[in-house]
Amino acid sequence: MGRYWLFAFDSSHAAIAAQRLLSACGAVVMPTLRSITASCGMSIRIEDGQIEQAKEHMRSSVIDPALYRLYRVEQEGKETRCTQTTLSE
């Protein structure tokens, strides 16, 4: 089973700013998954081992929290499950 975290953005400007901010966390820009409907189409993938550092960077950044959502993504076979979460969880 594959597991990772996904920041989905409502603004491409916020996504680009977050990519710069999270580059040290191994951030990878990718298209937003189809199951996540509200978004600008750009997301940032973070692996499990880097998520706490990434959350801290996002909490202390100037990027408006209203412009993004955080999802826990789990893939098993052809099934992908996305669970929205918060930076404090």
Side-chain angles (χ1 to χ4, degrees), residues 12-31:
S12 57
H13 295 296
I16 291 166
Q19 177 194 16
R20 289 186 196 123
L21 180 72
L22 300 176
S23 64
C25 299
V28 176
V29 176
M30 63 180 275

Side-chain angles (χ1 to χ4, degrees), residues 5-61:
W5 297 82
L6 198 69
F7 285 96
F9 296 87
D10 292 336
S11 154
S12 57
H13 295 296
I16 291 166
Q19 177 194 16
R20 289 186 196 123
L21 180 72
L22 300 176
S23 64
C25 299
V28 176
V29 176
M30 63 180 275
T32 302
L33 300 173
R34 284 187 217 147
S35 57
I36 301 172
T37 55
S39 143
C40 71
M42 291 176 69
S43 290
I44 294 180
R45 177 180 173 149
I46 302 287
E47 298 302 323
D48 267 341
Q50 300 296 320
I51 190 58
E52 292 308 318
Q53 182 182 10
K55 286 179 180 181
E56 184 58 38
H57 285 308
M58 292 299 284
R59 276 193 291 267
S60 63
S61 78

Side-chain angles (χ1 to χ4, degrees), residues 3 5 26-27 29 31-32 38 40 43 47-48 51 54 61-64 66 69 82-83 86 88-89:
R3 296 181 186 159
W5 297 82
V29 176
T32 302
C40 71
S43 290
E47 298 302 323
D48 267 341
I51 190 58
S61 78
V62 297
I63 301 170
D64 184 348
R69 285 161 311 288
C82 300
T83 306
T86 66
S88 60
E89 291 181 30

